[in-house]
């Protein structure tokens, strides 16, 4: 049950696009299309934004998109807005009815 | 609207026990698997437990043998029984509603457990 690997931080300017990577193994991301992404603002509960690799959750902005290649999943946020500044966590099914999270990425909107 | 409300967090001494509860609303509880996820202060999210709609249970290595998840579909409640608590169990504990593809589509607001002497 090793955590997925995310960059600790990314940054971008308003209007730009950024991508957050999430690297796992053949035992999790590489074997299942069950990757989700969650956004967490400081002091708040996480919120689902993407599920099943690239499906937007109800109420999520169209500016959020997900993809996967091999053992790595990615979250892209286009047209960055100040409210996008938050922590982002990937999560993948890892077999045996278990899931594993990434370490989280802090997005700073400059 | 789906709502999940956790309760039961407290200050407890190392080696102690605690029971967390999660009260769902806005959906038919008995039809869903449920998760517990925790977040240590300043750290990331950690999955710790999952209970299926029909009561099968699964645990992370870090809590297996010490924590027990259960559900009462009559009372529409989810529980996490925590025994032999360690300082490293200090965290905000969230319950979350599970979906078939092993993702959580709704989260509670969390309840803080502090393990300290």
């Amino acid at each position: 049950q090793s955590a997925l690997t995310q960059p600790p931080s990314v940054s971008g300017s308003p209007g730009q696009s950024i991508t957050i990577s999430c690297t796992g193994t053949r035992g999790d991301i590489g074997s299942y299309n069950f990757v989700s992404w969650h956004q967490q603002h400081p002091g708040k509960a996480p919120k689902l934004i993407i599920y099943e690799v690239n499906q937007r959750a109800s109420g999520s902005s169209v500016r959020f998109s997900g993809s996967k290649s091999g053992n790595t999943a990615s979250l892209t946020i286009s047209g960055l807005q100040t409210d996008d500044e938050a922590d982002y966590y990937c999560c993948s099914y890892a077999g045996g009815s278990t899931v594993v999270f990434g370490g989280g990425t802090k997005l700073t909107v400059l | 609207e789906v709502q999940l409300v956790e309760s039961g967090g407290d200050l407890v001494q190392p080696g102690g026990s605690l029971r967390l509860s999660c009260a769902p609303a806005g959906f038919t509880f008995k039809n869903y698997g449920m998760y517990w996820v925790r977040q240590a202060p300043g750290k990331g999210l950690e999955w710790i437990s999952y209970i299926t709609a029909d009561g099968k249970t699964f645990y992370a290595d870090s809590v297996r043998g010490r924590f027990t998840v259960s559900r009462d579909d009559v009372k529409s409640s989810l529980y996490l029984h925590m025994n032999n608590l360690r300082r490293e169990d200090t965290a905000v504990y969230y319950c979350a509603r599970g979906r078939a593809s092993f993702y959580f589509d709704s989260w509670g607001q969390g309840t803080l457990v502090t393990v300290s002497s």
Side-chain angles (χ1 to χ4, degrees):
Chain A
Q1 293 173 349
S2 299
L4 307 174
T5 301
Q6 297 182 235
S9 64
V10 298
S11 63
S13 300
Q16 288 186 333
S17 295
I18 63 94
T19 297
I20 299 171
S21 62
C22 171
T23 301
T25 69
R26 281 192 303 175
D28 39 63
I29 292 176
S31 292
Y32 309 100
N33 288 326
F34 296 155
V35 178
S36 58
W37 290 89
H38 302 263
Q39 177 192 60
Q40 186 180 36
H41 286 105
K44 301 294 187 181
K47 172 189 169 185
L48 175 71
I49 51 175
I50 295 287
Y51 66 97
E52 293 175 359
V53 176
N54 56 15
Q55 302 299 300
R56 265 187 303 276
S58 175
S60 290
S61 170
V62 297
R63 298 183 299 104
F64 293 97
S65 62
S67 62
K68 189 189 92 165
S69 177
N71 297 339
T72 298
S74 299
L75 173 71
T76 298
I77 309 175
S78 59
L80 272 179
Q81 300 179 358
T82 54
D83 188 53
D84 296 333
E85 189 160 291
D87 294 326
Y88 291 83
Y89 293 90
C90 60
C91 182
S92 174
Y93 180 60
S97 295
T98 68
V99 297
V100 61
F101 281 98
T105 298
K106 180 177 180 60
L107 169 61
T108 301
V109 181
L110 304 170
Chain B
E1 180 191 2
V2 172
Q3 288 191 337
L4 298 165
V5 179
E6 301 93 336
S7 60
D10 205 347
L11 171 63
V12 60
Q13 292 190 340
S17 299
L18 203 58
R19 188 187 81 165
L20 305 183
S21 299
C22 172
F27 65 100
T28 305
F29 176 68
K30 66 179 182 178
N31 292 342
Y32 289 85
M34 298 294 296
Y35 290 83
W36 286 99
V37 175
R38 69 183 179 185
Q39 186 170 35
K43 302 297 184 182
L45 301 172
E46 178 190 14
W47 167 75
I48 57 172
S49 183
Y50 168 49
I51 184 166
T52 65
D54 59 359
K56 295 185 181 66
T57 58
F58 303 88
Y59 301 94
D61 292 342
S62 58
V63 305
R64 187 178 294 113
R66 300 187 300 123
F67 290 10
T68 301
V69 60
S70 64
R71 62 189 300 154
D72 186 331
D73 290 344
V74 173
K75 294 183 178 179
S76 286
S77 290
L78 175 72
Y79 304 103
L80 185 67
H81 308 259
M82 303 185 294
N83 295 320
N84 191 20
L85 282 161
R86 306 167 180 167
R87 286 185 171 81
E88 55 264 35
D89 295 319
T90 294
V92 173
Y93 285 73
Y94 296 98
C95 66
R97 188 176 78 166
R99 301 307 299 267
S101 305
F102 299 96
Y103 65 94
F104 330 121
D105 67 349
S106 296
W107 296 73
Q109 86 290 346
T111 187
L112 176 62
V113 173
T114 303
V115 184
S116 175
S117 53

